Each structure stands twice: as structure tokens, then as C-alpha cells.
Amino acid sequence: MAMAIVRRLGQTLFVLFGISVLIFLVFFATPGSDPTARIAGRNASPETMARVRVEYGFDRPLPVQYWRMMEKLFVTRDLTSYVNRGEKVVPEVLQAAPVTLSLVSGAAVIWVAASVAMGTLAAALRGGWVDRGLMMLGLVGISIPVFWLGQVVNLVTQSRYHETWLFSWVPGLGYVPFSQDPLGWFRALVLPWITLAVLFVGLYSRVLRADLVATQAEDFMRTARAKGLSPARVLLAHGLRTSMISFVSLFGLDFAQLVGGGALLTEVVFGLQGVGRLTYQALANLDLPLIMATVMYSAVFVVIANAVVDLLYLLLDPRVRDGY
Amino acid sequence: MAGARARCLAAAGALLVGALLAGAACGAARAQTAPPTVGDGITLGSPHRGGTLRLTASSSGGTVDPQINYTSQYAQLFYVLYDGLLTFRKADGEAGNTVVADLAERVPAPEDGGRTWRFTLRAGLHFSDGQPITVADVAASFRRLFRVGSPTAGAFYGAIIGGDQCLRDPAHCTLQGGLETDDATRSVVFHLRQPDAEFLQKLAFPHAVILPAATPGHDLGNVPAPTTGPYMFASYDPDRGAVLVRNPHFRVWSADAQPDGFADRIQYDFGLPDEAEVTAVENGQYDWMFDMKPLDRLGELGARHTAQVHIRPLYGIYYAPMNVNIPPFDNPLARQAVSYALDRRAMTILYGGAAVAGPLCGMVPPGIPGALSDCAYTAGADPDDPAPSWRGPDLARARALVAQSGTAGQAVTVVAENTAIDMSMGVWLRNMLQSIGYRASVKTLAHGMQFSYIQNTANHVQISISDWFADYPSASNFLDDLFGCENFHPGSDNSINIAGYCNARVQAVMDRAKQTSDPAEAAALWTQAGRLVDRDAPAAPIIRINYIDLVSKRVGGYFYTTLYHLLFSRVWVR
């Protein structure tokens, strides 16, 4: 077990190093991305450009620049943005994290509850019109781009029908901290939660249904049925638990990916100032320090989530324990 | 703001005058019963004084250092926060283009043929932290422009004697011999290396604002400096927004230069995408939005929110620079062919229609002295016999010119931004180039990258789509900035002379124009320079553009200055 943890840590560091080098090199290899011109300002004199180059260390060899950036990001933690000069990127990301966590957690509750219900119901009634209807609904959810859905939700709730009784409760776009106004927090996030969850409900319910159907043929299910357990109990107590392995694997990766900034489009559309929107802004402005910070943050989450998923396997499937 | 997309507004003249008169009358009546309060100016006692003006933008404008930030977004904000010795009159529309005295007592007359400018600082003024404003602050502020590496330090203020040394060694900048101050007489004297007829306009530009002498000699980043105008920063967070409140030490010394504000508080939030900004202003959640209005919302704005929309002139253009140093556009006939074939009406439609844009024939937009009033590259016209206005493209002539130039069949790549408007213009340009005889393609680049990319000669960009805006109302902002030899820097991402055009004859005329203090004579010289540039066609002018502004129903007294757009201090909220 200890060896596994050390191996996981080593993988994490390797992944982070690889990603950081890749981003750094791609940034400097891309024509038009030289931050000197942006920092110096439009039509700045060559003297000002030269000064900025020295001041920011852009005149140094790339390995030195990379090392200094990593040092500022991980050791001194005072790496500042190229666009909002004076803005330290680490606190910026940490400040945005609660917004993303609020968005993703709420959406996760919705998508887990809805997809378990849909997937189980469809598997229990497989072949019937309810099964076909639910799975078609799931497919529609998967097919709708979240960006488009968000815009439509905004169009309906913020614009066209905002004045009607149905949507007059919808607040303006943006985030309200939970500590400041719990009800406001809920009202501000409920539509983004649903919007973000739609795709995952479709995906997870289909995966769960498929796993549940496949599990029906397993020996332990047959044994359970032979013992005289009710079909509902066989499905829920035996089938569902085993079928949740793929579900949990997917969930771990998706959740981590979203908390790490993957909910970018939802955050942008709903004006939520989370890590995703920060990433979006950093990419739009070619703000390398911020790009580096948000991507590192995301990578850490994904790697940690993988580790957590591996541990959950142990709880869900006794057969996995034999491997340790 | 050169390069940055400007935004604008309009003014309800009669209504505003009425409001001001009413406000003044009320103020007089109240003065007998109530003690004077902060900003004892023209809004005191006005029924419109008070409240919070709520502004929104998709993102911040970067550093809040007014001597460094070069975006129209923050120039608009700095306009009600900071003051220079001079400023542009805070008057509606084009009346706001004239330079007036601000912290200086009066606008000086040039001495020594335009090499010496003598100012007297007003007495009794204070920064928002209570410190008095002295000539030492003025001197320190001008030295600071060089110390912090202001983008305009060279182009605008480098002509001050000692400025070139300051550019080379900013840490030891003294402006010795170029800037003299006398505390006893509050005099500030500038000595220039050569006459500069636009020096007053450069002093009125926001980079030349006066900050306390103790202001750090580095980019302030997110820490605002004390202000002199009617508002000051209460907070600033580039991720979330800014809050401005009344400056307790402000008093109106000149309503032309820095009038009192109506709103007690200005809240500027960042984070909404442009589509959501439009909806929020329509719903009254915000009073004004900064960003350009999305094309797909223009119809809705025009049909359902007419009273909230203001379309005003803007000194901004779209143009297509052509690299005069690489094929095929190293051949002037090929460049002229592009200008003949360009359907400026189609480009107007791509931008949003005739209400917000119009065909552009010269590189200086209409309304600026020296702008060409006729059109050389249109059907039935040529540089020797221009038409009164643009009539339509002349494709036959364009094809003939391409054939004559011997460049037919060559490969040409158009580089455009990947935004809706620019991309559609780029695709149109590609089709047009194909139709006149080239093998054309279009390459779109991200918004944050395209402008740097097309400037660098190392990227061998033949033709591109770009835009440009005035810092102050002079033809130099377009002709000298975009075609001056001093602004061509091969191999640099910051070479605003994208065409790489350098013509000694044109440069000589522009240099004369820049040194000519008589406005009429200067305008004539700029016209001459414009015609010479037009004949060489290093760029094809595409369209001039207007500003579309959207305000909430609770905003009253809409007030627009052509250079800095909606004036936050002059609008009020119900």
C-alpha cells in the first residue's frame, strides 16, 4: 500500500512536470505570443520593450525562465499575472476555487441522483417504452452542447420570460457567496447546476443501465435470484453495487476534471468567476502565469481523483482487494 | 485609445442643460440652509445627485496605473479620477475635442517657435489623500512616465529635452534641462528638442496625469494611486471589479476640465460575457456595459430598446495593411488593385449595417482635421481624379492592375482575428483576392494573438485585417502612427507600422505637419500626407465605425465625449 502511494506521488510529480514544460514551450513557440509587446503597451518604444524584456527576464534562456516561473509558482508563490500586473496568480486561483466547487458539487448531486434513478429504472424495465424513452432522453442530454444550453437557459430566464411569474425569481448572472447569502447562493447556482448536469445525467444513466444489464448474467446475480430474493432487492443490493464501479470511475475523473476548471463553458456563460472562467480568460489574454497556475491546479485534481477512485474500488468490489 | 476598441455615447444637450440649471438653482437655494458637502460643484442640490451607477464589463482592463494602462476601458475611468495640467473639455460630442486647462491655470501659448511651454499650477488643490498638489508632484509625474516605462514615454513625451536619456536610463531620469519648476510661482516649464504642435494634446492625454511625488516608480498593478477628480477608488480587484466613491478633497476648479459627479458611487463589476451584459442592462441589473454589443443582439436592441441605445461617432477605422516589402504587395499596382476591388458596402454590412459603420476612403476618419473628403479607389475614379464619395468597387480595373503588376496567380494569405466580424471580413477579402487573380487563403488567429502576429515581419504576413482608434483628434494618430518610418521595427511584435511603409517624402510632410502650430496649415499638410499615402496604398481603408452604447432605463442625462465616450460623472441614475 505504501509503495502504491509513493508510486502515485511519483506519477503526480511527473505529470505536473510534463504538463508545465509542454505549456511553457508551446507558449514561447507560438508566434505572436511574446508577452513583451503586451506588457510594454501598444506602440511602445524599442527602449521600453528592451526594458520590459530585462525586467521580466524574457531575455534569459528558456530553461532559466522556466525554472524561475516554477519557483515563483510553487516555492515563493508570488507569481504575478502578465495582464493584471500585481495580481498574484496563486491566491487568484484559490479565490476562484470555492465558486467552481459550489458549481460542480451541486451539479454532481443532481447528475448522480438523476442518473442512478434513470439508469436503474431503465434497466429494471429494459426493452419497454420507459427504457427506450429514458435512454433517448439521455442521448439528447449528451448531444446538447453545454454552452448552447446555457445560452438558451439565459435567453429564457434572463431575457424573454424574465418578467413572468415563472422566472422573476431568477437573479442576475454571477456568483453569490454561501457565507453572504445562502438563499442567494442557491438561486444563483440552481440553473447552472442543472445546465451542467444535463450532459452527465445522459452519459451516466446510459453507462449504468448497460452495466446493470450486463450484470444480470453474472453468477452472483443468479445465485441471489436462486436464493429467492425479490427482483428489486437483487437489482439494487447486488446488481447496482457492482455496476457502480464504472460509474464511480467516471465520476471521479469527471468531478476532478470539472473542479479543476473543466466547467469552463458553464462558468463563462453564467458569469461565475471560478477556475474555469479564469482559465478561459488566461487563454484569451495569453497570460502565461495564470495559464500555468490554472492548469497545474487542474492536473493536481485529476491525479488526486484518480487515486481516490482507486481506493473506492476497494470498497465497492471485493475482488479488487485481492490485488493488494 | 489607439488600438484598443473604444466605446461611446451620446448627450442629451437640452435636457442636460436644463438639469444643470435646475441643479444650480437648487444648489443656490440649499446653500443658505445646508453646509457645503463634498464636491461643492454644480451637482450640489441637484435632484439627480446621489445613487450608485452600476457598470459591467467582461473583464478588467489590467493595471490601474494611469501612466501605464493604455486601454480605452480604463482611460474612460481615469477620465473622472485623475487630472493632468491639461485635459480635453468634458463637453458633449466633438466639443470635447478641444484642450482646456485642468490643473494648470490656463492653456499656454507656444514660445520659442513651439519649443517652450510655460504653465502655472492652480493653487489650493489636493489629492484624495489630502496632500496638496505641488509643482514637485508635476515634475515627479513626468519623470515617472519614463521610470515606469509608459508606452507613450517615447512617442508622446520623448521630445522633452532629457527624454531620450530617460528612455535609455529610466532609473536615473531627471529630465534635466527639459522640465523646470518653481515652487514659489507654481510655474512648470517644458523645453522640447524640436517644436511639437501636438504637445498640448499629448499633455491632455491620460498618461500625463499628475500623481503624488511619492508614487512608487514601478507599475502600481492593483494598488490605485490617490486621485484628483470627483471620485477615488474604494476598492479594486481585477477579477471582480472596482468601487469608486466621492473624493472628499475634490472641489470644482473648472467644470470644463473636471465637473462634479452626479452619482455618489460607481460600481464596476467584471465577469459577465457580452451576451449576458446586454441582457443585464436591458433588465436594469446594470446601467451600462463596456463591451461591444454582439451582432446578433443589434436587431433586438434597435426594435425593443431604442430609447436606451445611443449611436455616436467614433474616431475608429477598420483597414487592411499590406506588407510593402514582400510579394505580391511590394508592387504598388497590386496594392491599388486591392483598394479598387474592396467592396466597402459589403464590409459595412458585415460590421452591422449603415447605422454603425460606413465606407472609408482615406486612412484618417472623417471629423479629424486633414481627413480626405474624396475617394480615389472607387468606380470611375483614381488618385488623380477622385470621386466625391465611394461609389462601388471597380473589379475590372482591379483585375487589370493585377495583370499589369505581373503578380497574378501568386499565393496570398489574409490573417484575421477569429472574432465574428473580423473573420467574416477576412473570408470576404480572400474571396475578393481570388476573384482578381490571386490564389488566396485566410488564416484566423486568436484575438489575443493576431495583433502581435501581424506586426512582426518575421511572420511574413502579406495582408491582414486590423482596426485603429485615435488617442486624440489628430491625423498623426493614423498617418504617422501607422505609416511613420519611426514606427516600423522589423522582427518586433510591437511594430505598429504593419505595412512596413517608409517613404521619405511622406515622412517629411508629416514631420512638417507635426511641427506646424497653425491648425489650418497643419490640416493642409496632413491632407497632403494623406494623399501621398493614398497613392502608395500601403493599406486599404475599409470602414469607419460608430459606437453603439446601451444604458439602462434608470440612466439620465446621457453624455458622450468623442474621445472617452460615456462620461461617468455627468450621467445620473434615477
Side-chain angles (χ1 to χ4, degrees):
Chain A
M1 194 70 173
M3 201 54 215
I5 292 171
V6 170
R7 201 163 46 234
R8 176 71 65 187
L9 199 66
Q11 283 172 0
T12 307
L13 291 176
F14 183 75
V15 167
L16 291 180
F17 173 74
I19 290 173
S20 63
V21 169
L22 205 64
I23 293 170
F24 188 84
L25 291 181
V26 165
F27 184 90
F28 279 98
T30 307
S33 66
D34 179 6
T36 316
R38 264 182 291 277
I39 293 170
R42 293 195 174 212
N43 205 16
S45 64
E47 291 90 345
T48 304
M49 290 274 285
R51 184 185 159 181
V52 167
R53 205 166 280 122
V54 172
E55 205 172 295
Y56 281 78
F58 300 142
D59 57 334
R60 303 284 192 86
L62 282 183
V64 176
Q65 288 190 51
Y66 171 79
W67 178 255
R68 287 188 58 184
M69 181 167 276
M70 290 303 113
E71 189 185 13
K72 285 182 176 179
L73 183 59
F74 291 109
V75 183
T76 58
R77 296 162 68 86
D78 61 351
L79 184 63
T80 54
S81 158
Y82 288 164
V83 176
N84 293 310
R85 275 160 280 168
E87 180 77 346
K88 292 188 168 59
V89 299
V90 175
E92 205 175 351
V93 172
L94 295 179
Q95 204 181 356
V99 181
T100 302
L101 203 60
S102 297
L103 170 68
V104 177
S105 303
V109 169
I110 294 173
W111 100 59
V112 168
S115 58
V116 167
M118 276 173 65
T120 312
L121 196 62
L125 304 171
R126 67 177 180 279
W129 65 268
V130 173
D131 177 24
R132 282 199 293 274
L134 286 175
M135 288 306 100
M136 193 166 288
L137 211 60
L139 200 59
V140 170
I142 295 169
S143 311
I144 297 176
V146 70
F147 183 77
W148 179 85
L149 181 63
Q151 291 286 24
V152 171
V153 168
N154 281 342
L155 184 70
V156 171
T157 64
Q158 295 280 346
S159 186
R160 295 295 158 83
Y161 300 102
H162 183 66
E163 301 304 328
T164 66
W165 62 270
L166 199 57
F167 295 117
S168 56
W169 61 272
V170 178
L173 299 181
Y175 179 71
V176 178
F178 183 81
S179 56
Q180 193 180 307
D181 176 8
L183 182 63
W185 174 83
F186 179 82
R187 285 174 17 175
L189 285 172
V190 65
L191 292 172
W193 283 340
I194 296 169
T195 305
L196 179 59
V198 165
L199 157 74
F200 295 102
V201 171
L203 189 69
Y204 281 60
S205 59
R206 289 178 71 88
V207 168
L208 185 63
R209 179 197 173 275
D211 276 357
L212 276 169
V213 169
T215 312
Q216 300 300 313
E218 294 276 348
D219 290 346
F220 69 90
M221 292 290 278
R222 211 167 23 246
T223 309
R225 278 196 294 272
K227 279 161 66 181
L229 297 178
S230 69
R233 189 155 173 208
V234 171
L235 183 71
L236 296 176
H238 295 269
L240 189 57
R241 178 178 165 178
T242 317
S243 303
M244 285 298 278
I245 288 180
S246 307
F247 191 100
V248 167
S249 306
L250 274 178
F251 180 82
L253 292 175
D254 285 334
F255 187 81
Q257 183 268 125
L258 289 174
V259 172
L264 181 151
L265 296 176
T266 313
E267 288 182 7
V268 170
V269 171
F270 288 101
L272 301 169
Q273 288 146 322
V275 181
R277 185 183 151 273
L278 218 52
T279 311
Y280 172 82
Q281 268 191 311
L283 290 170
N285 297 325
L286 291 181
D287 190 358
L288 178 62
L290 194 52
I291 294 174
M292 200 62 96
T294 53
V295 173
M296 292 289 104
Y297 167 90
S298 174
V300 166
F301 261 97
V302 171
V303 175
I304 290 174
N306 265 316
V308 173
V309 166
D310 286 354
L311 292 175
L312 278 177
Y313 281 167
L314 300 178
L315 298 175
L316 286 170
D317 191 345
R319 290 169 297 185
V320 180
R321 289 173 211 161
D322 300 338
Y324 284 91
Chain B
M1 198 87 322
R5 293 201 184 201
R7 334 283 144 164
C8 47
L9 319 204
L15 180 63
L16 179 69
V17 171
L20 294 182
L21 290 175
C26 291
R30 243 187 222 191
Q32 297 173 354
T33 54
T37 56
V38 171
D40 54 345
I42 49 181
T43 70
L44 191 65
S46 162
H48 303 305
R49 188 179 165 96
T52 298
L53 184 66
R54 299 158 309 174
L55 319 174
T56 176
S58 60
S59 61
S60 77
T63 174
V64 285
D65 194 321
Q67 295 196 309
I68 294 180
N69 192 296
Y70 204 6
T71 64
S72 63
Q73 182 178 0
Y74 278 6
Q76 188 176 16
L77 204 57
F78 295 153
Y79 209 38
V80 296
L81 288 167
Y82 297 101
D83 296 274
L85 290 171
L86 306 174
T87 190
F88 293 101
R89 186 191 305 277
K90 291 190 172 64
D92 188 71
E94 287 188 15
N97 292 350
T98 50
V99 173
V100 295
D102 194 354
L103 296 179
E105 287 183 347
R106 64 188 68 83
V107 178
E111 298 173 26
D112 189 21
R115 285 187 180 81
T116 300
W117 299 90
R118 199 176 297 276
F119 296 88
T120 303
L121 185 68
R122 289 180 200 268
L125 302 184
H126 294 79
F127 289 106
S128 56
D129 62 359
Q131 291 180 72
I133 303 172
T134 67
V135 290
D137 297 314
V138 177
S141 296
F142 279 90
R143 284 194 289 265
R144 188 174 182 277
L145 282 169
F146 295 93
R147 288 190 173 164
V148 299
S150 174
T152 52
F156 280 18
Y157 313 108
I160 300 170
I161 290 175
D164 47 354
Q165 285 167 300
C166 287
L167 278 173
R168 282 195 300 273
D169 183 11
H172 301 101
C173 176
T174 59
L175 289 176
Q176 179 84 38
L179 177 57
E180 294 167 8
T181 58
D182 181 352
D183 201 30
T185 58
R186 300 192 311 280
S187 77
V188 177
V189 184
F190 292 94
H191 298 287
L192 309 185
R193 278 184 283 124
Q194 72 269 345
D196 181 358
E198 295 177 356
F199 189 60
L200 296 183
Q201 290 170 305
K202 292 169 181 172
L203 291 189
F205 187 71
H207 282 167
V209 296
I210 306 306
L211 304 175
T215 306
H218 57 75
D219 187 344
L220 294 173
N222 304 329
V223 183
T227 66
T228 49
Y231 297 100
M232 62 179 193
F233 281 100
S235 65
Y236 178 72
D237 178 344
D239 285 330
R240 279 159 181 76
V243 174
L244 312 184
V245 294
R246 288 194 184 276
N247 168 5
H249 295 278
F250 174 76
R251 65 177 177 80
V252 178
W253 57 84
S254 162
D256 270 353
Q258 193 58 281
D260 195 11
F262 280 109
D264 280 344
R265 192 167 170 275
I266 298 174
Q267 182 183 323
Y268 203 154
D269 291 341
F270 309 136
L272 292 186
D274 53 5
E275 293 277 0
E277 284 179 52
V278 172
T279 308
V281 176
E282 286 175 356
N283 289 349
Q285 290 152 351
Y286 284 101
D287 297 314
W288 174 86
M289 65 174 281
F290 167 74
D291 296 281
M292 289 186 74
K293 285 72 202 166
L295 281 178
D296 63 338
R297 304 296 289 273
L298 293 185
E300 161 196 338
L301 291 177
R304 293 171 49 206
H305 302 276
T306 320
Q308 292 167 249
V309 178
H310 302 264
I311 299 175
R312 305 298 298 263
L314 181 67
Y315 295 138
I317 64 167
Y318 263 78
Y319 72 112
M322 289 172 271
N323 192 328
V324 300
N325 301 308
I326 55 175
F329 300 120
D330 54 348
N331 188 318
L333 297 180
R335 302 195 296 266
Q336 290 182 344
V338 170
S339 219
Y340 270 118
L342 195 59
D343 189 340
R344 292 164 172 88
R345 191 174 294 120
M347 294 303 209
T348 300
I349 292 166
L350 292 178
Y351 189 77
V356 293
L360 179 71
C361 287
M363 283 301 297
V364 180
I368 288 185
L372 300 180
S373 57
D374 46 31
C375 209
Y377 299 104
T378 184
D382 59 45
D384 293 322
D385 184 20
S389 62
W390 189 79
R391 295 165 174 159
D394 191 339
L395 281 171
R397 185 152 190 178
R399 288 190 189 105
L401 282 168
V402 170
Q404 193 185 340
S405 69
T407 60
Q410 290 191 15
V412 178
T413 303
V414 181
V415 180
E417 235 178 57
N418 64 354
T419 53
I421 293 171
D422 291 39
M423 207 150 63
S424 54
M425 284 185 179
V427 170
W428 191 95
L429 200 55
R430 178 199 61 188
N431 295 343
M432 179 272 274
L433 287 167
Q434 278 176 333
S435 75
I436 62 173
Y438 294 109
R439 286 184 294 116
S441 60
V442 63
K443 177 156 89 177
T444 55
L445 295 176
H447 169 68
M449 193 181 288
Q450 191 257 4
F451 189 63
S452 301
Y453 185 88
I454 61 174
Q455 290 182 74
N456 196 330
T457 49
N459 298 322
H460 308 292
V461 176
Q462 296 159 301
I463 184 169
S464 53
I465 305 274
S466 193
D467 54 22
W468 193 247
F469 299 85
D471 285 332
Y472 54 85
S474 166
S476 70
N477 280 203
F478 294 89
L479 294 176
D480 194 36
D481 280 7
L482 302 179
F483 306 112
C485 298
E486 73 281 11
N487 292 326
F488 177 43
H489 307 291
S492 168
D493 271 8
N494 216 343
S495 176
I496 194 54
N497 182 344
I498 298 167
Y501 175 80
C502 181
N503 180 320
R505 190 171 159 216
V506 175
Q507 190 65 53
V509 177
M510 292 198 294
D511 289 344
R512 272 175 57 209
K514 285 190 284 183
Q515 295 178 15
T516 303
S517 55
D518 176 52
E521 200 182 325
L525 285 166
W526 284 118
T527 305
Q528 190 185 340
R531 285 207 186 285
L532 291 171
V533 168
D534 201 34
R535 192 172 288 271
D536 277 351
I542 300 177
I543 51 168
R544 57 160 186 83
I545 55 182
N546 289 336
Y547 185 63
I548 310 165
D549 215 356
L550 174 67
V551 293
S552 73
K553 285 177 184 157
R554 62 196 286 273
V555 168
Y558 185 83
F559 197 111
Y560 176 88
T561 69
T562 313
L563 289 173
Y564 300 104
H565 321 309
L566 179 73
L567 188 57
F568 299 142
S569 61
R570 300 311 299 149
V571 292
W572 39 265
V573 285
R574 294 180 177 93

